[in-house]
Amino acid sequence: MRRVKKELQTAQVSDLCRRRLLSYADSFYELARSYDEEFEPEQENRETVLMERRLWENRQIISGHLTEMAKIMTEAASEVLVYWPMEGKKRRRLVQALAEEGIEVESPCYLPREDGRQAVVLTMYTRRGAKVSAEDAADMISVLLDRRLAPSVTSPSVVETAPQSFVLEEEAAFLVLTGFSRAVKEGESASGDNYAVVEAEKGRVTVMLSDGTGSGEKAGRDSGRVLDLMEKMLEAGYETDTAVNMVNTALFASGEDDNHPTLDICDIDLYQGSCQLRKIGGAATFLKRGQDVEQLVTGNLPLGIFGQVEAQPLYRQLKDGDYLIMVSDGVVDAFGGEDYENTFMSIIAGLQERGPGELSDRLLQIALHASGGRIYDDMTIGVVGIWET
């Protein structure tokens, strides 16, 4: 029997596009260097020196942003996509089987991922105006290839008559569910807290909680703007630390003394079952494993106070049935006293609810009871549950 060796192939941006991207990157690097200079005050007056110092700091922020943009362009220009075509027998069986279901398949191939995983990339479309959900198509392909595959979050949700590219990722080993409960400060019409859940293509879920300075509509707008920026940058492919620093420097450059939101970030790898926590001024996060509870906290200040943020991530390996509980200041403050953390941890340890939504609702009820039914500050509780699939 003759063995056919897989032919590794590559794809990258065209030479013209690459030259343009590198040219743009050089321009951004040059602009960044024009802003990057030592601080040398020209005046002796203290007020003038402080103003010059502020302008110089703003120039450094601009320089940092330009450098980051240039770096991204350079990486995009040099990015090479490595793949190999699907084996002939499998390809023919796949094309024939889906054609019988009214789905046309073109150019199926494998795309290597981290840890030896492989995604399946292919073009699909239907005949005679029919529509098929991408999940149903992925289920058929999973059976044919004897692999558990699911559409990536960036793939279209429906196979239609127009040809579209689909990326089918190996199903992750872990599943995440979230639940959030909130209470608005008395006398306010809107919460100053906001939260967001971002799903990335490579089995990553990011849960974020931001507490705006003060309470009410302005605080809510400030924290909401932070999360909007973070979402856009994470979805665009920015690394978490880079995204945090760009949001921070934007707030720092604005010079608003009453706009220093906190930011809690929980990054979960669904393939490894691990998480990274970054806390920029936020309240403690709690890891519940059965009746054992661990408090996770760092001492960083909120956003916009300094020009740079160094949020050292806290790493934890999660297990089936673990819960991460993220809270805003109003929740822990409801318990008062010097030992409120231990009180809150004891309460978490005794909870029997299983669903994240049920857990967050129950904790909010307990916090409201602890504060005598009064809401002195916005309260937000986010529960992230993780299970093996």
Side-chain angles (χ1 to χ4, degrees):
M1 181 182 295
R2 186 169 61 90
R3 302 186 66 180
V4 179
K5 186 178 180 181
K6 292 179 181 177
E7 183 183 355
L8 190 66
Q9 299 185 10
T10 62
Q12 61 189 86
V13 296
S14 70
D15 187 57
L16 176 60
C17 288
R18 183 167 61 254
R19 288 201 304 270
R20 283 185 175 177
L21 282 169
L22 291 174
S23 176
Y24 296 151
D26 286 342
S27 298
F28 277 102
Y29 276 128
E30 191 61 36
L31 280 170
R33 283 192 289 271
S34 71
Y35 284 105
D36 192 13
E37 56 187 25
E38 295 294 328
F39 177 62
E40 297 178 357
E42 298 179 359
Q43 303 291 331
E44 295 183 0
N45 180 275
R46 183 175 182 274
E47 185 175 342
T48 305
V49 169
L50 290 174
M51 184 179 68
E52 290 179 354
R53 175 78 185 187
R54 187 68 179 185
L55 289 171
W56 175 80
E57 289 174 344
N58 288 343
R59 289 169 65 88
Q60 302 314 296
I61 290 169
I62 294 171
S63 175
H65 283 254
L66 291 170
T67 300
E68 191 60 40
M69 291 301 299
K71 188 187 302 180
I72 291 170
M73 289 177 182
T74 302
E75 290 173 356
S78 58
E79 185 173 5
V80 176
L81 185 67
V82 179
Y83 68 97
W84 58 80
M86 188 174 290
E87 303 90 331
K89 186 176 180 180
K90 284 187 178 181
R91 182 177 68 251
R92 288 191 294 272
R93 185 175 62 182
L94 178 66
V95 171
Q96 182 179 351
L98 266 70
E100 292 174 359
E101 300 295 330
I103 302 173
E104 298 294 331
V105 174
E106 295 178 356
S107 307
C109 60
Y110 300 113
L111 185 64
R113 295 297 199 197
E114 296 83 358
D115 303 322
R117 293 183 286 110
Q118 290 179 356
V120 174
V121 182
L122 69 172
T123 298
M124 292 190 289
Y125 59 95
T126 60
R127 297 191 299 266
R128 297 183 295 274
K131 292 185 179 182
V132 179
S133 77
E135 289 189 358
D136 288 343
D139 288 342
M140 297 181 214
I141 295 170
S142 296
V143 173
L144 292 166
L145 298 181
D146 193 24
R147 297 169 60 189
R148 296 170 59 192
L149 298 168
S152 71
V153 295
T154 57
S155 292
S157 59
V158 178
V159 184
E160 301 180 287
T161 53
Q164 300 177 96
S165 294
F166 293 81
V167 178
L168 307 182
E169 298 281 2
E170 290 188 21
E171 285 193 0
F174 291 86
L175 167 72
V176 157
L177 295 176
T178 60
F180 290 85
S181 300
R182 312 169 77 184
V184 179
K185 180 182 177 181
E186 295 175 5
E188 298 287 358
S189 59
S191 174
D193 302 339
N194 275 291
Y195 61 86
V197 180
V198 181
E199 293 186 49
E201 183 173 335
K202 298 180 181 179
R204 169 183 163 194
V205 174
T206 303
V207 183
M208 297 181 288
L209 173 62
S210 180
D211 183 351
T213 304
S215 58
E217 292 185 6
K218 184 183 183 305
R221 286 195 302 271
D222 292 340
S223 61
R225 192 176 299 118
V226 165
L227 295 185
D228 285 343
L229 287 170
M230 285 296 300
E231 282 188 73
K232 286 182 173 63
M233 283 189 279
L234 291 176
E235 289 171 351
Y238 283 77
E239 293 296 327
T240 302
D241 289 329
T242 299
V244 168
N245 263 298
M246 292 187 77
V247 171
N248 176 76
T249 51
L251 289 173
F252 179 77
S254 71
E256 296 181 38
D257 293 333
D258 60 346
N259 184 14
H260 298 295
T262 67
L263 179 60
D264 268 8
I265 304 173
C266 176
D267 265 328
I268 301 175
D269 184 327
L270 297 180
Y271 288 100
Q272 301 296 324
S274 60
C275 76
Q276 295 183 31
L277 297 170
R278 291 172 176 81
K279 308 185 72 61
I280 301 94
T285 293
F286 301 88
L287 171 60
K288 174 177 170 60
R289 180 170 294 162
Q291 293 186 335
D292 295 328
V293 179
E294 180 185 3
Q295 179 179 257
L296 305 171
V297 64
T298 57
N300 290 319
L301 293 170
L303 294 166
I305 294 178
F306 295 110
Q308 291 290 321
V309 171
E310 293 184 7
Q312 293 297 325
L314 298 171
Y315 295 89
R316 290 296 182 274
Q317 183 64 45
L318 303 177
K319 294 183 178 181
D320 181 64
D322 282 355
Y323 297 92
L324 287 161
I325 300 168
M326 307 168 71
V327 300
S328 61
D329 288 339
V331 176
V332 289
D333 290 347
F335 293 90
E338 296 181 357
D339 200 34
Y340 68 88
E341 294 103 334
N342 289 328
T343 301
F344 195 52
M345 289 171 67
S346 298
I347 291 168
I348 293 173
L351 293 175
Q352 299 298 318
E353 287 80 2
R354 298 287 296 171
E358 296 173 343
L359 270 170
S360 62
D361 286 345
R362 181 60 181 147
L363 278 171
L364 183 59
Q365 291 173 4
I366 294 171
L368 290 170
H369 178 75
S371 64
R374 305 297 301 275
I375 308 174
Y376 297 105
D377 192 7
D378 299 314
M379 298 183 188
T380 301
I381 300 173
V383 177
V384 182
I386 186 165
W387 293 271
E388 291 184 13
T389 57

